[in-house]
Amino acid sequence: MNRKYRKTVVAGNWKMNKTVSETRAFAEELKNSLPRSKRCSIILCVPFVNITSAIKVLKDSRIAVAAQNVHWESHGAYTGEVSAAMLADLGVKYVLIGHSERRQYFNETDTFVNKKIRAALQAGLRPILCVGETLEQRELDVTSELIAYQIKSALSGISAEEMRHIIIAYEPVWAIGTGKTATPEQAGEVCGTIRAVLRKLYGARVARATTIQYGGSMNPKNASTLLAQPDVDGGLIGSASLELSDFLQIIYAANEE
Ligand code: PEP
């Protein structure tokens, strides 16, 4: 982390977990258990149907609510989809875009990811752009090229000014939900590569100011060492964000480092 230049952000991605009543109870306890000092920002990425309840409970707290997906059109005949304007109207602040599960199970391509980022920004939402390589790609030694390609495609047409509103999450696909975590060095190296790509695209100031999270089996045991990497500015946490005590321990670790 480098708090001098950018925000540290811990986000929990609940995926398709928790009912409305479970959301209320969790959010209530979370907001009452946070560290006093505000050295890291906190986001909860909840299922669409839990957004209203989460926002209500977290209204006067410093925890922001995020959606896990968004459609790229503002309205129309897209059965089952939700637009960025609808999310913004509810009080949603952030939205996950390009999570590997969306890419893998819902055929989300880099082109769709780019369209979603534009739509989110247009509606005033802050995208959390997820990128990451598969195990096969890592073994073929194409991680850097692949990540650079994902970043460039996702950010095509996005201005330096708009970049101020974007968080990037590096999530190696082989580490998501598998219990296999990237080593701190691997996480730090790829987050550094992402920052170098941003430097080329937008210049040193934007690159320095962009929050880049690591995600992939982050837990209370490994959080501190991952977060100690200078280019890792927080975490995107799946499984460990479902357990209040685990999530809190990671928040406390991010607050301390
Ligand atoms: C995620 O879903 O973004 C994630 C990182 O999951 P997990 O922490 O369970 O690997």
Side-chain angles (χ1 to χ4, degrees), residues 13 15 99 101 171 175-178 215-218 236-240:
N13 174 18
K15 314 190 188 202
H99 190 279
E101 287 151 17
E171 298 209 303
I176 297 180
T178 59
S217 299
M218 191 185 268
L236 179 53
I237 296 116
S239 320

Short mmCIF file of all heavy atoms in Angstrom, two decimals, residues 13 15 99 101 171 175-178 215-218 236-240, ligand 1:
data_model
loop_
_atom_site.label_atom_id
_atom_site.label_comp_id
_atom_site.label_asym_id
_atom_site.label_seq_id
_atom_site.Cartn_x
_atom_site.Cartn_y
_atom_site.Cartn_z
N ASN A 13 -17.04 -9.18 -1.71
CA ASN A 13 -17.91 -9.61 -2.80
C ASN A 13 -18.68 -10.84 -2.34
O ASN A 13 -18.14 -11.93 -2.27
CB ASN A 13 -17.06 -9.95 -4.04
CG ASN A 13 -17.92 -10.54 -5.16
OD1 ASN A 13 -19.14 -10.40 -5.16
ND2 ASN A 13 -17.27 -11.20 -6.10
N LYS A 15 -21.06 -12.35 -3.84
CA LYS A 15 -21.55 -13.20 -4.93
C LYS A 15 -23.04 -13.50 -4.70
O LYS A 15 -23.74 -12.64 -4.19
CB LYS A 15 -20.71 -14.48 -5.03
CG LYS A 15 -19.21 -14.18 -4.97
CD LYS A 15 -18.37 -15.35 -5.30
CE LYS A 15 -16.91 -15.02 -5.02
NZ LYS A 15 -15.99 -15.85 -5.72
N HIS A 99 -15.86 -9.27 -13.43
CA HIS A 99 -15.42 -10.33 -12.51
C HIS A 99 -15.24 -11.63 -13.32
O HIS A 99 -16.00 -11.90 -14.25
CB HIS A 99 -16.47 -10.52 -11.40
CG HIS A 99 -15.98 -11.41 -10.31
ND1 HIS A 99 -15.99 -12.78 -10.40
CD2 HIS A 99 -15.43 -11.12 -9.10
CE1 HIS A 99 -15.48 -13.30 -9.29
NE2 HIS A 99 -15.13 -12.32 -8.48
N GLU A 101 -16.03 -14.57 -12.80
CA GLU A 101 -17.21 -15.45 -12.88
C GLU A 101 -18.19 -14.95 -13.94
O GLU A 101 -18.87 -15.74 -14.60
CB GLU A 101 -17.88 -15.56 -11.49
CG GLU A 101 -17.05 -16.42 -10.56
CD GLU A 101 -17.18 -16.07 -9.09
OE1 GLU A 101 -18.13 -15.38 -8.70
OE2 GLU A 101 -16.29 -16.50 -8.32
N GLU A 171 -7.27 -10.12 -9.95
CA GLU A 171 -7.77 -11.36 -9.38
C GLU A 171 -7.36 -12.54 -10.28
O GLU A 171 -8.05 -12.84 -11.26
CB GLU A 171 -9.29 -11.33 -9.29
CG GLU A 171 -9.82 -10.24 -8.39
CD GLU A 171 -11.15 -10.65 -7.79
OE1 GLU A 171 -12.09 -10.95 -8.54
OE2 GLU A 171 -11.24 -10.69 -6.57
N ALA A 175 -6.91 -18.34 -8.36
CA ALA A 175 -6.90 -18.12 -6.91
C ALA A 175 -8.28 -17.80 -6.36
O ALA A 175 -8.47 -17.73 -5.16
CB ALA A 175 -5.94 -16.98 -6.57
N ILE A 176 -9.27 -17.63 -7.25
CA ILE A 176 -10.59 -17.22 -6.78
C ILE A 176 -11.40 -18.43 -6.31
O ILE A 176 -11.67 -19.35 -7.08
CB ILE A 176 -11.37 -16.47 -7.88
CG1 ILE A 176 -10.62 -15.18 -8.21
CG2 ILE A 176 -12.79 -16.16 -7.43
CD1 ILE A 176 -11.27 -14.37 -9.28
N GLY A 177 -11.73 -18.40 -5.03
CA GLY A 177 -12.56 -19.45 -4.45
C GLY A 177 -11.87 -20.80 -4.38
O GLY A 177 -12.52 -21.82 -4.13
N THR A 178 -10.57 -20.84 -4.59
CA THR A 178 -9.87 -22.13 -4.63
C THR A 178 -9.06 -22.38 -3.36
O THR A 178 -8.59 -23.49 -3.15
CB THR A 178 -8.87 -22.15 -5.80
OG1 THR A 178 -7.95 -21.05 -5.62
CG2 THR A 178 -9.56 -22.02 -7.14
N GLY A 215 -7.26 -9.73 -5.28
CA GLY A 215 -8.35 -10.61 -4.87
C GLY A 215 -8.04 -12.04 -5.27
O GLY A 215 -7.49 -12.29 -6.35
N GLY A 216 -8.41 -12.97 -4.42
CA GLY A 216 -8.16 -14.39 -4.70
C GLY A 216 -7.76 -15.08 -3.41
O GLY A 216 -6.59 -15.06 -3.04
N SER A 217 -8.78 -15.62 -2.71
CA SER A 217 -8.54 -16.33 -1.44
C SER A 217 -7.79 -15.50 -0.42
O SER A 217 -6.98 -16.03 0.34
CB SER A 217 -7.83 -17.66 -1.72
OG SER A 217 -8.64 -18.48 -2.55
N MET A 218 -8.03 -14.20 -0.41
CA MET A 218 -7.45 -13.39 0.67
C MET A 218 -8.21 -13.73 1.96
O MET A 218 -9.43 -13.89 1.94
CB MET A 218 -7.55 -11.89 0.38
CG MET A 218 -6.72 -11.05 1.35
SD MET A 218 -6.93 -9.27 1.13
CE MET A 218 -5.64 -8.87 -0.01
N LEU A 236 -10.06 -7.40 -2.70
CA LEU A 236 -11.43 -7.77 -3.08
C LEU A 236 -11.61 -9.19 -2.55
O LEU A 236 -10.89 -10.10 -2.95
CB LEU A 236 -11.60 -7.70 -4.60
CG LEU A 236 -12.97 -8.07 -5.16
CD1 LEU A 236 -14.09 -7.28 -4.51
CD2 LEU A 236 -13.02 -7.83 -6.68
N ILE A 237 -12.53 -9.32 -1.62
CA ILE A 237 -12.59 -10.55 -0.85
C ILE A 237 -13.92 -11.27 -1.04
O ILE A 237 -14.98 -10.67 -0.82
CB ILE A 237 -12.38 -10.21 0.66
CG1 ILE A 237 -10.96 -9.66 0.84
CG2 ILE A 237 -12.56 -11.43 1.54
CD1 ILE A 237 -10.95 -8.25 1.30
N GLY A 238 -13.85 -12.52 -1.47
CA GLY A 238 -15.06 -13.32 -1.68
C GLY A 238 -15.43 -14.07 -0.41
O GLY A 238 -16.04 -13.51 0.51
N SER A 239 -15.04 -15.32 -0.35
CA SER A 239 -15.45 -16.20 0.76
C SER A 239 -15.25 -15.57 2.14
O SER A 239 -16.14 -15.64 2.99
CB SER A 239 -14.65 -17.50 0.74
OG SER A 239 -14.51 -17.94 -0.57
N ALA A 240 -14.10 -14.97 2.37
CA ALA A 240 -13.82 -14.44 3.71
C ALA A 240 -14.67 -13.21 4.05
O ALA A 240 -14.68 -12.78 5.20
CB ALA A 240 -12.33 -14.12 3.84
C1 PEP B 1 -13.86 -12.82 -5.56
O1 PEP B 1 -14.92 -13.37 -5.76
O2 PEP B 1 -13.65 -11.71 -6.06
C2 PEP B 1 -12.85 -13.50 -4.73
C3 PEP B 1 -11.67 -12.97 -4.63
O3 PEP B 1 -13.24 -14.66 -4.11
P1 PEP B 1 -12.41 -15.48 -3.00
O4 PEP B 1 -11.90 -14.48 -2.00
O5 PEP B 1 -13.38 -16.43 -2.42
O6 PEP B 1 -11.28 -16.15 -3.72
#
